[in-house]
Amino acid sequence: QKVVRDFAFVIDEKYSSGEIINLVKKIDKELIKSVKIFDVYQGDNIPSGNKSIAFNVTLEPKDKTLSDSDIEEVSKKIISTVQETTDAKLRS
């Protein structure tokens, strides 16, 4: 059973979409099936030198159905990894 989660960060414009995709995919190669960027924005409400990048992550376990806590755990890992690696801020 696939689960898709969306994330959006305000991030330094020096980071490319490809770098973010690779970073997120490495978090859990077995569980994370795809990472797709669906929005990149610079302009109003985004600090100069930054951009907003939004992506969805498809989780697809091989051997079990994911519980809410499993999904929450992977989501937290994605958020903390992106924040710690790129100094990005999660957009609400």
Side-chain angles (χ1 to χ4, degrees):
Q1 178 108 17
K2 280 197 276 195
V3 177
V4 179
R5 286 286 179 267
D6 292 346
F7 299 90
F9 292 91
V10 174
I11 190 168
D12 190 303
E13 65 186 1
K14 71 181 178 187
Y15 292 102
S16 70
S17 298
E19 287 174 297
I20 302 305
I21 290 170
N22 291 333
L23 177 66
V24 173
K25 280 184 173 175
K26 281 189 221 164
I27 293 168
D28 190 331
K29 288 184 174 139
E30 290 296 305
L31 188 58
I32 296 174
K33 288 297 165 225
S34 74
V35 180
K36 291 193 176 108
I37 305 291
F38 64 84
D39 186 50
V40 177
Y41 173 75
Q42 285 181 285
D44 293 346
N45 302 323
I46 305 296
S48 179
N50 288 275
K51 62 185 172 184
S52 168
I53 187 164
F55 56 90
N56 61 39
V57 177
T58 303
L59 308 173
E60 194 171 357
K62 288 191 171 111
D63 53 2
K64 66 174 188 158
T65 300
L66 292 172
S67 68
D68 287 344
S69 66
D70 293 332
I71 295 165
E72 185 68 23
E73 191 177 313
V74 173
S75 295
K76 282 181 181 170
K77 231 184 257 184
I78 290 168
I79 292 165
S80 66
T81 300
V82 172
Q83 286 178 330
E84 288 164 17
T85 307
T86 67
D87 203 28
K89 307 274 181 273
L90 189 65
R91 279 191 84 182
S92 49

